[in-house]
């Protein structure tokens, strides 16, 4: 039996035994020919993350961007991807939407030195390691990136949805180099965001800023839909700037302000990326808003 060295996505359909997903195939497209969102069942057992089809209303939402590269990649283009990239398979990540007692969620800005999605706002998260549960992986990443130390007994956990993440995020910005399925988990804590903020000790190699967002701010952020034209939905009562915590190279926090318009930037079609909220994060925040209205799936 081949030795497992990392957690990879496996796919099953029509009751066929799960097979390791190929790097150059669309995970979402495996379950639907035309749509960008589908419901699936997921499990993490024996260091394999398996997705399989299910009846509508009985699974977890899986979504890709409308401009997902693997939606448009030709056979010739897929074959031209270097073998070392093709052999990576599809990795599994976990991202934590940490909700405070006063219903705010923590976002972090990825450090500018990172090769993948630098200066982009996302929830804390990273790869799932061998022999980890999703919740344990999420809590570990939360601790490593932000310094927040929470035990499984300190939170209630809920799986919100799955996102097919590709870097670069669209073919106009280069051929795919990374392919993940990101599991977005909501963690509810009894602590307020002020209490959690006091314990923040971000890792400056990974995080350059921290921000707590509430529902009104999230509604403005998600109205800037990546891949679509048009203006951001104006919301009454929102200030033009928001308070953020900047992280120094030494890991020291200092208060600053950020124009709201930055968080409403869209993913550019070409050229250098811009500071913005990632497309997958916007998807997760939409799910979070729905959860606040009483919808969601318990894990």
């Amino acid at each position: 039996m081949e030795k497992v060295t990392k957690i990879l996505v496996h796919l099953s359909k029509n009751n066929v035994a799960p097979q390791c997903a190929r790097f150059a195939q669309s995970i979402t497209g495996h379950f639907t020919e035309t749509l960008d969102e589908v419901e699936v069942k997921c499990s993490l057992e024996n260091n394999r993350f398996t997705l399989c089809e299910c009846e509508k209303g009985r699974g977890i939402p899986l979504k890709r961007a409308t401009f997902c590269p693997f939606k448009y990649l030709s056979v010739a283009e897929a074959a031209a991807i270097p073998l070392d990239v093709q052999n990576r398979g599809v990795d599994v990540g976990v991202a934590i939407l940490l909700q405070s007692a006063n219903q705010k969620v923590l976002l972090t800005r990825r450090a500018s030195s990172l090769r993948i999605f630098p200066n982009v706002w996302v929830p804390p998260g990273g790869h799932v390691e061998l022999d980890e549960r999703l919740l344990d992986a999420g809590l570990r990443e939360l601790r490593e990136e932000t310094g927040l130390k929470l035990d499984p007994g300190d939170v209630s956990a809920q799986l919100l949805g799955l996102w097919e993440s590709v870097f670069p995020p669209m073919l106009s910005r280069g051929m795919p180099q990374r392919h993940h399925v990101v599991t977005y988990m909501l963690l509810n804590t009894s602590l307020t965001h002020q209490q959690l903020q006091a314990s923040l000790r971000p890792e400056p190699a990974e995080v350059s800023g921290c921000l707590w967002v509430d529902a009104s701010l999230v509604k403005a952020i998600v109205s800037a839909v990546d891949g679509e034209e048009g203006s951001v939905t104006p919301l009454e009562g929102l200030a033009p700037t928001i308070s953020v915590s900047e992280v120094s190279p030494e890991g020291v926090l200092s208060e600053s302000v950020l124009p709201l318009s930055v968080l409403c930037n869209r993913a550019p079609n070409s050229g250098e990326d811009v500071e913005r909220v990632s497309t997958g994060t916007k998807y997760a925040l939409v799910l979070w808003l729905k959860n606040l209205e009483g919808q969601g799936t318990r894990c």
Side-chain angles (χ1 to χ4, degrees):
M1 181 178 294
E2 185 178 352
K3 182 179 180 181
V4 177
T5 58
K6 62 177 180 176
I7 307 293
L8 292 173
V9 174
H10 288 67
L11 303 175
S12 174
K13 190 168 69 171
N14 299 325
N15 295 319
V16 174
Q19 300 293 318
C20 189
R22 293 177 289 105
F23 177 86
Q25 76 175 110
S26 172
I27 303 303
T28 310
H30 180 78
F31 297 101
T32 175
E33 295 183 1
T34 58
L35 303 178
D36 292 319
E37 186 170 2
V38 66
E39 286 188 16
V40 296
K41 287 186 178 180
C42 66
S43 64
L44 176 56
E45 298 178 355
N46 301 320
N47 288 319
R48 298 199 310 181
F49 186 73
T50 302
L51 302 179
C52 59
E53 59 190 346
C54 68
E55 296 178 9
K56 187 174 181 180
R58 302 189 65 179
I60 298 294
L62 164 68
K63 189 171 183 177
R64 64 184 175 187
T66 57
F67 45 80
C68 176
F70 295 117
K71 182 179 177 180
Y72 302 101
L73 198 68
S74 69
V75 174
E77 287 171 328
I81 296 175
L83 282 178
D84 63 320
V85 175
Q86 291 190 41
N87 292 334
R88 286 177 181 153
V90 181
D91 293 293
V92 181
V94 59
I96 296 298
L97 273 72
L98 180 63
Q99 180 179 307
S100 66
N102 52 336
Q103 296 188 333
K104 294 195 176 190
V105 167
L106 176 64
L107 296 182
T108 58
R109 184 176 57 209
R110 290 172 58 81
S112 60
S113 58
L114 295 175
R115 290 184 299 169
I116 299 175
F117 295 116
N119 295 317
V120 171
W121 289 89
V122 297
H127 284 99
V128 180
E129 303 292 347
L130 291 175
D131 300 320
E132 279 188 318
R133 299 183 308 162
L134 290 177
L135 177 57
D136 294 334
L139 291 174
R140 173 183 53 78
E141 288 288 349
L142 180 68
R143 180 178 66 253
E144 292 175 356
E145 293 188 5
T146 71
L148 293 175
K149 301 176 182 179
L150 300 177
D151 294 321
D154 297 332
V155 297
S156 62
Q158 183 175 336
L159 183 57
L160 287 179
L162 311 174
W163 176 256
E164 184 172 4
S165 175
V166 184
F167 181 83
M170 51 192 74
L171 283 178
S172 59
R173 293 176 56 192
M175 293 296 288
Q177 302 171 22
R178 296 288 190 274
H179 194 184
H180 293 76
V181 167
V182 179
T183 59
Y184 283 102
M185 297 194 73
L186 172 63
L187 299 188
N188 285 287
T189 173
S190 61
L191 301 175
T192 66
H193 82 280
Q194 294 96 336
Q195 291 172 308
L196 293 164
Q197 176 73 21
S199 298
L200 280 179
R201 301 292 185 272
E203 169 51 59
E206 299 189 57
V207 175
S208 66
C210 299
L211 165 68
W212 293 93
V213 295
D214 60 14
S216 60
L217 180 53
V218 166
K219 289 176 182 177
I221 293 171
V222 302
S223 71
V225 180
D226 292 328
E228 295 184 6
E229 301 294 334
S231 59
V232 176
T233 302
L235 295 176
E236 295 182 3
L238 286 181
T241 60
I242 53 176
S243 176
V244 301
S245 296
E246 296 285 345
V247 182
S248 75
E250 296 74 33
V252 178
L253 292 174
S254 62
E255 292 305 306
S256 183
V257 294
L258 187 73
L260 173 60
S261 59
V262 170
L263 297 181
C264 296
N265 281 332
R266 291 181 170 91
N269 293 326
S270 60
E272 294 294 322
D273 208 343
V274 297
E275 184 175 352
R276 59 186 176 86
V277 177
S278 79
T279 311
T281 300
K282 290 178 181 178
Y283 162 66
L285 290 173
V286 169
L287 295 178
W288 177 67
L289 288 174
K290 291 180 179 178
N291 183 75
L292 287 181
E293 298 170 358
Q295 302 177 20
T297 304
R298 285 287 170 188
C299 67

